[in-house]
Amino acid sequence: DARCLELECRTTDSITVLASSGKCFTLDAAALPSGRGDGAPVNTLVNSGSDEIVWIGIGSTETRLLMAHSGGNAFLCKLGDLVTKTRQGKDFMTVPEGAKMLPPVAVDEEKFAAVLSSDARLLVFPLDEIPSRPNGGVGVQLIALPEGIALAGIALTDSKRLSVSGIKRKNRAIETLDAKQIAEHQGKRAQRGKLCDIGFRPDRLGG
């Protein structure tokens, strides 16, 4: 599927680009095509090959990020850890065959991580169970995933509210879990999680 990633920035900004393979790149905003034309595909500005671009971002180098791939592993880092000086980029997160990077989640004041498997199991656990890896790498397992099941979504929560969405009667439905519902899914990192039964099978965290 074609994806549109929109980002407002200044010409003095550095743009971080993340590919599905776990490789990251840094672009100078000033080097982007200007004018009213169609622009240029991001993967022609960096050497990402056939890899899908899953995320582009700007911000303070101190911004904390939760990095994860569909195989179920994750770690914490800072935006500045992804900066690279070479056009070739650098391998940052190890992504197993058949998996791909998910867009990173910015960490603010939330204290809990919520993870959703592709078979609609939800697990909520303390964010401090995920280690920091400033140099990237493999990360740790977030949720137990049987063969053929992937990590479908990841979000952060204060344990009082969490939005989930999925298909209900051919339309996309959104439900906000409250503190009591979230508590039913709380556990420890790497557990299997509990089926999220809310009248439809959620396939996404957030709206």
Side-chain angles (χ1 to χ4, degrees), residues 41-198:
V42 174
N43 58 7
T44 65
L45 303 174
V46 298
N47 290 345
S48 61
S50 60
D51 291 340
E52 177 188 354
I53 302 301
V54 298
W55 182 78
I56 56 176
I58 60 172
S60 165
T61 56
E62 294 299 306
T63 300
R64 295 177 71 212
L65 297 175
L66 175 53
M67 311 283 289
H69 61 65
S70 62
N73 280 32
F75 55 71
L76 295 167
C77 67
K78 294 180 180 179
L79 181 59
D81 298 330
L82 278 67
V83 172
T84 175
K85 300 295 185 183
T86 71
R87 181 179 164 82
Q88 300 297 327
K90 66 178 178 181
D91 294 316
F92 193 68
M93 187 168 197
T94 304
V95 178
E97 187 174 351
K100 73 171 195 175
M101 287 295 301
L102 301 177
V105 178
V107 179
D108 193 7
E109 297 298 320
E110 304 91 348
K111 302 296 184 184
F112 293 87
V115 292
L116 180 72
S117 64
S118 59
D119 61 350
R121 285 182 174 266
L122 176 66
L123 178 65
V124 179
F125 58 87
L127 184 62
D128 61 15
E129 292 184 12
I130 302 176
S132 293
R133 295 281 189 269
N135 296 317
V138 175
V140 295
Q141 185 180 23
L142 295 178
I143 184 172
L145 297 174
E147 187 173 352
I149 302 300
L151 179 64
I154 184 166
L156 300 176
T157 175
D158 58 4
S159 80
K160 297 175 183 176
R161 291 170 57 89
L162 177 66
S163 294
V164 299
S165 64
I167 301 299
K168 182 178 182 180
R169 300 190 187 96
K170 298 183 180 180
N171 295 312
R172 180 153 291 277
I174 301 175
E175 183 80 20
T176 299
L177 306 184
D178 60 23
K180 183 179 178 181
Q181 291 170 302
I182 293 171
E184 293 174 355
H185 295 276
Q186 283 187 294
K188 291 187 176 295
R189 181 184 60 76
Q191 291 178 337
R192 182 73 178 95
K194 180 182 175 184
L195 189 65
C196 189
D197 184 8
I198 49 175

Side-chain angles (χ1 to χ4, degrees), residues 11 27-33 45:
T11 55
L27 279 175
D28 289 328
L32 298 180
L45 303 174

